[in-house]
Amino acid sequence: MTPVHAIEITDAECTSRSCRKLGRATEYVHKIAFRVAINYIVGMLSIVTLISGRGSNFEAIVKTAQKERWPVKFAGVIANHSAAKGLEFARSQGIPVLVVEHKEYATRESFDEALIEKIDELGADLVILAGFMRILTPGFIRHFDGRLINIHPALLPAFPGLHTHERALEAGVQEHGATVHFVTEGVDEGPIICQASVPVREGDNADTLAARVLVAEHQIYPRAVKWFLDGRLRIEGNQVKLQPPEPQFFKL
Ligand code: GRF
């Protein structure tokens, strides 16, 4: 398997003498590059997941990976507060857990810088947002360009933002669903990897609809992650081409 995002370092940067000379910053890069190099050698990519709540999508991804024996390392789960329920599942699986309390940072930028540092230390080839309820800064998004993905509970570009199920019901749509996409600076605007639709039924409320959509989420998020790990995703403009092609839209 070819890793999609190895960091390139030159021989000069790689020697420990250079590291000493260039100080802590270079050592930091050295450490990250070392981790990425190890992943490259063993042909195993690393995933870091960010959560804020129950973490059911993360759980679906881990369980699918276990069932299908993906060659992947779940390098860590980071939550922005210690009460995030999904941390319990991560711990039960022996996956390293970190809490970076957003309230302890004065600005979004400083919080995101702390997150970047932690994620890089864990050595992420892919960063998964799974119900991470913080707006990310452009700097964070640029840092993980092409290796940051999210799931949104609606058929984008319909209903970006919050309260998607309520808004779908209000709009009277017949179909609703979920979208996995690369994250770009526009909110819920990045290239779409795959989508699944579910019917809106007579008598639905936001909870019944959310539950139906969640079942779809648990099916498509693991698929999208596997495609990424297999190096099958090509971003062309604002579209994602799957190589070799297969359906990227599922009607459930
Ligand atoms: C999901 O509905 C996801 O689409 C949205 O936040 C929710 C997270 O659920 N971004 P969970 O924490 O994965 O259970």
Side-chain angles (χ1 to χ4, degrees), residues 126 146 148-150 179-183 190-195 220-221 223-225 227-228 233 235 238-242 246-250:
L126 173 64
L148 178 62
I149 65 174
N150 180 44
T179 304
V180 182
H181 63 97
F182 282 102
V183 177
I192 291 172
I193 300 170
C194 60
Q195 295 184 300
I220 60 170
Y221 214 176
R223 287 278 66 76
V225 170
W227 289 341
F228 182 96
L233 302 177
I235 301 176
N238 202 39
Q239 294 190 3
V240 178
K241 305 282 184 204
L242 179 62
E246 68 178 80
Q248 289 166 258
F249 188 93
F250 305 90

Side-chain angles (χ1 to χ4, degrees), residues 41-64:
I41 290 160
V42 298
M44 187 183 280
L45 298 187
S46 282
I47 293 177
V48 172
T49 309
L50 306 190
I51 63 168
S52 294
R54 104 197 118 177
S56 69
N57 276 288
F58 169 64
E59 192 169 332
I61 292 164
V62 172
K63 286 185 171 163
T64 306

